[in-house]
Amino acid sequence: MAVINAIVSVLSQPAVVLAIVAALGLILLKKSASQVIIGTIKTLLGFLMLNAGSSIICTALTSFSNVFTEAFHLAGFVAEDNALAAAVQSVLGFETSMIMVLAFVINLLIARFSKWKYVFLTGHMMFSFAATMAIVLDQMGLNGWPAIIIGSLVQGVSQVLFPALAQPFMRQLTGKNEVAFGFWGSGLVWACGWIGGKLGNKEESAEDMKVSDKWSFLKDMSVLMSMVMILVYLITFLYAGSDVVSQYSGGVNYIQYAIDQALQFVVGTLVLLQGVRMFLGELVPAFKGISTKLIPGAIPALDIPILYAYGPVSTTIGFVFSLLGGLLATALSTKMSAVILPSVIGLYFMGAGAGVFGNKLGGRRGAMIAGFLLGFLFSIIPVIFYNWVDLSVYGIQGLWFASTDAILVLVIMRLVGMLFGAGL
């Protein structure tokens, strides 16, 4: 078990996994020791920069989410996979760990011996999906090794299947076939982008918006994002009032706090984008060593922030409209069996990705439509299936599954379970 825990610990750290992959790839390409060291460290630093940017973003969005919830007096649940996975480890930790490790082995075997060459490398998503499998199978009356075998098979196949479904859209976005989409919401992201493309005009890209010279500052992505986010934060914090905001601001004036948090969000995004550029610049060439030596034609499936560099402006558009779609879903859920609170972090990461796809396929209108649709569906789908899994038996309150690909698998497994008497 100690060996399994060590493997899980490594696989749960995507920065370490990607650094190891880069080093292995460079060694297989017979690069010099100096080149191996440079490529490995720059891959590690790039991904750590991505993580640092994500952390800054999440902190800024958490303050926004808290103020929003207080301001509108809402109580319900939040769709958040990582917190949910962590909460269930005291009960299903063995099953989660074994499913994660064996699923990765199955993923590698499929990539090696089939035409589906995708290697899923987003560690925290591998962990959250494994926890989802353990929970669903436990509620179907399966635990221990039966759950591990079934869960690892389902996850191992999913780690190849979902990147494969997204790859036609990734090729359109990147113009290459070197990187895949390794994220458990990829199906909803590219589907919303595709719909946005059908309803938009790809000739009118958000990245090429023409403005007069006096408005030329809007061409700068960081300036545009700063202005948009300051507006979003100010409206929300002003509505909430100083008494509510003071609970989170640490004594800072609430207007100043709104501006500060908005700009922190932008800083996080800029750090994240720089990190993406750095680690992809090293990882993709290094991965060719693995694809030519160990798994011919292998394609790394990576986390959603890799999309943002292909559409910085549409990233902002996608998020803003995703937030609007999520708010609509929250309003509708007050009339349903459960109320979902806006998962602003999820709405940002997935909405931004949908915006990038929507812009590529349907221009700025496509980015708006894709973002809004993503926000609405991402928020309303957990409400629809909320009663299919009872998390209260694990002492968990206020959380439910967020990743739409994982929810799709969850629903299919429960329906199959009904056929064999597991029921709902």
Side-chain angles (χ1 to χ4, degrees), residues 28-214:
L28 291 173
L29 288 172
K30 299 183 179 179
K31 298 293 184 179
S32 67
S34 177
Q35 290 173 309
V36 172
I37 292 171
I38 291 172
T40 302
I41 291 179
K42 289 184 73 173
T43 298
L44 181 61
L45 290 175
F47 201 85
L48 290 175
M49 285 177 67
L50 182 153
N51 280 342
S54 296
S55 179
I56 295 171
I57 290 169
C58 289
T59 299
L61 290 178
T62 298
S63 67
F64 177 87
S65 182
N66 289 335
V67 171
F68 180 91
T69 302
E70 289 274 350
F72 293 95
H73 307 291
L74 291 174
F77 73 94
V78 176
E80 218 302 306
D81 287 320
N82 293 319
L84 176 57
V88 81
Q89 289 313 293
S90 61
V91 183
L92 298 171
F94 176 70
E95 287 85 350
T96 298
S97 299
M98 292 300 298
I99 289 171
M100 179 180 176
V101 172
L102 293 179
F104 189 62
V105 173
I106 292 169
N107 181 179
L108 294 177
L109 291 173
I110 294 173
R112 177 63 181 84
F113 297 107
S114 79
K115 65 179 182 179
W116 311 108
K117 300 299 181 181
Y118 307 100
V119 179
F120 199 100
L121 294 175
T122 309
H124 69 282
M125 302 230 84
M126 294 161 61
F127 178 72
S128 67
F129 196 99
T132 300
M133 292 298 95
I135 292 169
V136 173
L137 289 165
D138 181 62
Q139 300 228 335
M140 293 169 62
L142 295 170
N143 47 49
W145 282 104
I148 291 168
I149 293 170
I150 295 173
S152 59
L153 284 170
V154 172
Q155 180 166 340
V157 172
S158 297
Q159 288 179 191
V160 176
L161 174 62
F162 284 102
L165 292 173
Q167 197 60 12
F169 301 93
M170 287 295 292
R171 283 194 291 268
Q172 291 185 64
L173 180 64
T174 66
K176 301 176 182 178
N177 198 42
E178 295 179 337
V179 177
F181 195 3
F183 180 81
W184 298 126
S186 61
L188 185 62
V189 171
W190 65 252
C192 291
W194 178 79
I195 294 171
K198 293 298 182 183
L199 301 176
N201 181 358
K202 67 185 303 182
E203 303 302 321
E204 299 177 350
S205 172
E207 309 303 322
D208 300 325
M209 287 191 295
K210 292 180 172 56
V211 294
S212 66
D213 289 341
K214 68 178 181 179

Side-chain angles (χ1 to χ4, degrees), residues 169 172 186-202 353-377 381:
F169 301 93
Q172 291 185 64
S186 61
L188 185 62
V189 171
W190 65 252
C192 291
W194 178 79
I195 294 171
K198 293 298 182 183
L199 301 176
N201 181 358
K202 67 185 303 182
V356 174
F357 276 123
N359 178 69
K360 180 65 177 180
L361 301 173
R364 57 179 177 268
R365 185 165 72 243
M368 296 174 188
I369 294 170
F372 184 85
L373 188 59
L374 182 287
F376 179 77
L377 293 175
I381 287 172

